[in-house]
Amino acid sequence: MEKYKRIFVIVMDSLGVGAMSDSSEFGDVGVNTLGHISQSVDSFYMPNLQKMGMANLTPLKQVDPVEKSLGYYGKLNEKSRGKDTMTGHWEMMGLEVTKPFKTFTEHGFPPELIAELEKRTGHKVIGNKSASGTEILDELGEEEIATGHMIVYTSADSVLQICGNEETFGLDELYRCCEIAREITMKDEWRVGRVIARPYVGKKKGGFKRTSNRHDYALKPFGKTALNALQDAGLDVISVGKIRDIFDGEGITGAYKSKSSVHGMEQTIELAQQDFHGLCFVNLVDFDALWGHRRNPQGYAEEIEKFDVNLGNLLPLLKDDDLLIITADHGNDPTYTGTDHTREKVPFLAYSPSMSGNGELPETDTFAVIGATVADNFGVKMPEGTIGESLMEKLR
């Protein structure tokens, strides 16, 4: 018999809480996203996360651990071989990724890939390097508008991104080119996790602005996940933010696109006031995209504080048969070298108004406990080939 009618899983994208034992194999030594943010800023106020036990997971300069947490807290290790968005989220829902997705951060995409993309799209490629989306628009936007060339770039993630001016390049043409790029990058040696259409408006450097017409072309998960199992059982699986894109729609029954992480939390608060039966799965990407990759600990700290305010608005809306889980998909230490994600443990905070217990949970060896716990609650069997053991017995 199910204990909770609704489960909210909120992913604070990239909020790691310390290095894993194998972090050095990924080039990450002494990393700690949350801990180093705290060390880098003067003030840091997160009373609701503090109540839930976040400061008990890693020492914070300004925030004390609590003796009695609101619910349960613990740390999850990643079993998969990776430290990216798709690997982290897929593992949460039961899939172990043994072969990391390809990244092209150091040298851009190989000439053979670019040549094929140019031939099939009819556009000359400019850019072809790892860059910030706003910086590459300032650098190459005017050239693209004047020539009809196509801006292609990547990042520390396994992505191929294409920019297109909505007025001159056109949305339909941008989407067509991205569909071609997705097909090309299905080859093993070029396989990226996502191809992303990055439309923008504006005519001059300094005046370019990316629009909300972004579209992600993701790989489908290589196997069935907890989301498929929930959907097949007739339960709601509601996506907020980029969850739908990460799973390429697999197992999703309803989706809400978010303009920002603050907007994503506002959407979650609205959903908490509606009646549904199943899972609300939320990704809040700004921690990662705006602050982690740009190595801005102050901006990251302020984003956490904004989240904490909305968390304070969400908590009173939770009913006795609701469960809230807060976690992350990898680290992105804004004080570390480079702009890549960092291989870290992630938080697991769990709370329901009906809980009679609280405190620290044992550290786990996989993020997949999340999907297994959700499935267990609803009496749904996890698909064959998935990993993870339920924590439901420990959430009393």
Side-chain angles (χ1 to χ4, degrees):
M1 186 173 173
E2 68 183 41
K3 187 173 183 180
Y4 303 109
K5 180 185 176 184
R6 307 188 302 180
I7 297 181
F8 297 82
V9 174
I10 299 177
V11 181
M12 299 178 72
D13 200 306
S14 84
L15 190 70
V17 289
M20 285 177 48
S21 60
D22 66 357
S23 292
S24 61
E25 296 175 26
F26 292 78
D28 302 326
V29 179
V31 290
N32 187 329
T33 299
L34 182 59
H36 290 159
I37 289 169
S38 172
Q39 291 175 17
S40 302
V41 298
D42 294 329
S43 63
F44 198 18
Y45 187 63
M46 43 180 253
N48 295 298
L49 285 168
Q50 181 184 24
K51 284 191 296 187
M52 292 187 70
M54 186 69 88
N56 293 57
L57 300 177
T58 189
L60 303 180
K61 185 172 70 174
Q62 308 87 342
V63 186
D64 293 329
V66 290
E67 284 189 24
K68 186 176 181 182
S69 56
L70 196 57
Y72 292 90
Y73 60 87
K75 290 185 271 194
L76 313 181
N77 287 271
E78 187 165 16
K79 193 169 187 180
S80 297
R81 296 297 294 173
K83 54 177 180 177
D84 60 84
T85 298
M86 289 176 67
T87 301
H89 284 80
W90 286 10
E91 181 168 320
M92 283 180 213
M93 293 299 123
L95 296 182
E96 180 183 358
V97 179
T98 57
K99 190 177 181 183
F101 296 108
K102 294 283 186 183
T103 56
F104 298 90
T105 311
E106 296 299 320
H107 306 292
F109 299 102
E112 298 83 5
L113 187 159
I114 295 298
E116 187 172 344
L117 186 59
E118 288 181 333
K119 179 181 177 182
R120 292 185 55 185
T121 62
H123 294 277
K124 176 180 169 59
V125 167
I126 54 177
N128 190 25
K129 60 183 179 180
S130 179
S132 149
T134 51
E135 289 172 358
I136 205 155
L137 285 182
D138 278 343
E139 179 187 347
L140 297 173
E142 290 181 10
E143 180 181 347
E144 187 208 69
I145 291 169
T147 63
H149 297 339
M150 182 167 69
I151 301 170
V152 173
Y153 70 109
T154 189
S155 71
D157 266 339
S158 178
V159 293
L160 184 153
Q161 303 183 84
I162 302 179
C163 299
N165 187 287
E166 291 195 3
E167 296 165 326
T168 58
F169 199 92
L171 266 180
D172 289 344
E173 178 64 6
L174 176 60
Y175 294 160
R176 181 186 76 87
C177 293
C178 287
E179 287 167 5
I180 291 169
R182 176 70 279 176
E183 186 180 334
I184 291 170
T185 55
M186 292 303 290
K187 293 183 180 179
D188 277 346
E189 64 269 30
W190 299 341
R191 187 173 300 225
V192 296
R194 285 173 293 158
V195 171
I196 306 177
R198 290 286 196 176
Y200 67 98
V201 293
K203 292 180 172 62
K204 294 287 184 184
K205 178 180 178 179
F208 295 125
K209 183 178 180 182
R210 298 199 291 194
T211 75
S212 60
N213 290 318
R214 162 183 170 162
H215 187 72
D216 290 40
Y217 300 79
L219 290 175
K220 283 196 179 294
F222 57 82
K224 298 293 186 182
T225 72
L227 304 183
N228 298 106
L230 295 171
Q231 182 186 39
D232 291 347
L235 293 155
D236 295 313
V237 184
I238 302 168
S239 155
V240 176
K242 64 179 185 177
I243 295 294
R244 190 202 175 283
D245 290 336
I246 293 168
F247 290 88
D248 197 31
E250 287 291 310
I252 304 296
T253 64
Y256 295 81
K257 288 179 71 173
S258 305
K259 298 173 185 175
S260 66
S261 288
V262 169
H263 182 222
M265 276 301 286
E266 290 169 350
Q267 291 171 308
T268 306
I269 288 165
E270 288 176 13
L271 286 163
Q273 297 173 76
Q274 298 175 18
D275 185 41
F276 68 89
H277 183 202
L279 172 66
C280 177
F281 197 4
V282 182
N283 175 277
L284 306 175
V285 73
D286 287 352
F287 304 104
D288 185 54
L290 297 185
W291 314 118
H293 285 307
R294 297 181 189 179
R295 295 302 188 245
N296 185 336
Q298 183 66 47
Y300 206 135
E302 290 169 3
E303 195 71 50
I304 293 172
E305 290 181 338
K306 291 176 190 175
F307 170 82
D308 196 83
V309 171
N310 271 321
L311 176 59
N313 296 329
L314 174 64
L315 288 171
L317 299 175
L318 298 178
K319 303 172 184 177
D320 283 353
D321 57 355
D322 289 337
L323 173 65
L324 170 64
I325 295 172
I326 297 174
T327 189
D329 53 343
H330 50 72
N332 199 346
D333 189 335
T335 69
Y336 202 57
T337 56
T339 59
D340 198 358
H341 294 149
T342 44
R343 174 94 165 164
E344 294 185 49
K345 301 171 185 179
V346 302
F348 179 88
L349 308 178
Y351 167 71
S352 172
S354 60
M355 282 179 174
S356 57
N358 61 77
E360 186 173 10
L361 295 169
E363 201 167 296
T364 76
D365 63 355
T366 175
F367 299 173
V369 295
I370 295 173
T373 299
V374 174
D376 184 23
N377 173 73
F378 292 110
V380 171
K381 185 180 178 184
M382 285 290 286
E384 189 175 344
T386 53
I387 61 170
E389 299 292 330
S390 173
L391 297 177
M392 191 56 67
E393 286 284 316
K394 295 181 170 65
L395 305 180
R396 301 179 183 277

